[in-house]
Amino acid sequence: NGGVAPTYGDVLAVAIPAGARGRFPASWSTIVAALGPDCGCRSKRPFVPAFRTDMCSNIEFVGPSKYRYVAANEEPLRPMATEASKATLFAVYLRLLVKARSLGLPAVLMPQIGLSVFNHDAAVAQEMLALAVKAFSLAVGPRSPGIVLYVSTADVPAEAERISTILQAALSRW
């Protein structure tokens, strides 16, 4: 990243260090890290009003543009999506695919970017993934070697089937 601190939407590729290779499948060579939109209100991340549909319940404003957290995390979580968070998710997914292709990677494991603690609406995230896959497919053309896409859709087993169904529908629509 040229020495610049990563921000929302950034995608960085890092070779798996030799000392950590035993923790990953033998065929893996690279970790591609992405920073999706954080719609949550967690004290370890900056508050981004553009990613929120309403105000955080664990923030207290102490000035016109200054705030402080009154609790580490917002409870309960309230999944949401805004135009800015959707655009950021789309960009992250597309940039992950482009980065994988530029590195010659045959497959990509798409993590739950924007979901879970990031408090993004899971169904909307699947729509953005499907749109990014379509955009990538059109950009590289039909003769280009494909990339196998493995998707981790939910961290709650009860949600996995619902989210997978949404992703399948979105992929067929786009």
Side-chain angles (χ1 to χ4, degrees):
N1 208 26
V4 177
T7 188
Y8 298 108
D10 279 353
V11 174
L12 308 170
V14 180
I16 296 174
R21 285 209 164 273
R23 294 188 220 152
F24 298 93
S27 61
W28 290 23
S29 62
T30 307
I31 296 174
V32 181
L35 186 55
D38 192 344
C39 303
C41 282
R42 300 179 297 149
S43 59
K44 70 182 205 172
R45 299 251 195 274
F47 166 56
V48 182
F51 293 158
R52 300 279 305 185
T53 56
D54 58 3
M55 188 47 65
C56 300
S57 62
N58 63 328
I59 283 183
E60 174 182 89
F61 279 89
V62 293
S65 61
K66 295 186 184 238
Y67 62 91
R68 70 181 182 91
Y69 285 93
V70 294
N73 297 308
E74 182 177 44
E75 298 291 339
L77 289 177
R78 296 174 292 165
M80 57 189 67
T82 65
E83 295 303 314
S85 70
K86 290 189 285 188
T88 303
L89 269 179
F90 168 78
V92 166
Y93 288 136
L94 183 60
R95 291 175 79 188
L96 275 167
L97 291 166
V98 169
K99 178 62 84 174
R101 182 166 194 268
S102 73
L103 295 172
L105 301 177
V108 177
L109 171 64
M110 287 289 191
Q112 313 163 25
I113 300 167
L115 309 181
S116 189
V117 296
F118 292 96
N119 206 28
H120 204 280
D121 180 271
V124 173
Q126 303 317 299
E127 290 279 337
M128 294 301 100
L129 174 56
L131 185 58
V133 167
K134 181 63 174 184
F136 177 77
S137 298
L138 291 171
V140 298
R143 296 187 217 277
S144 175
I147 293 177
V148 177
L149 184 64
Y150 298 96
V151 182
S152 172
T153 56
D155 59 354
V156 178
E159 284 286 283
E161 186 174 335
R162 179 181 80 86
I163 300 304
S164 293
T165 301
I166 292 168
L167 176 59
Q168 288 172 356
L171 285 170
S172 66
R173 182 173 49 256
W174 293 108

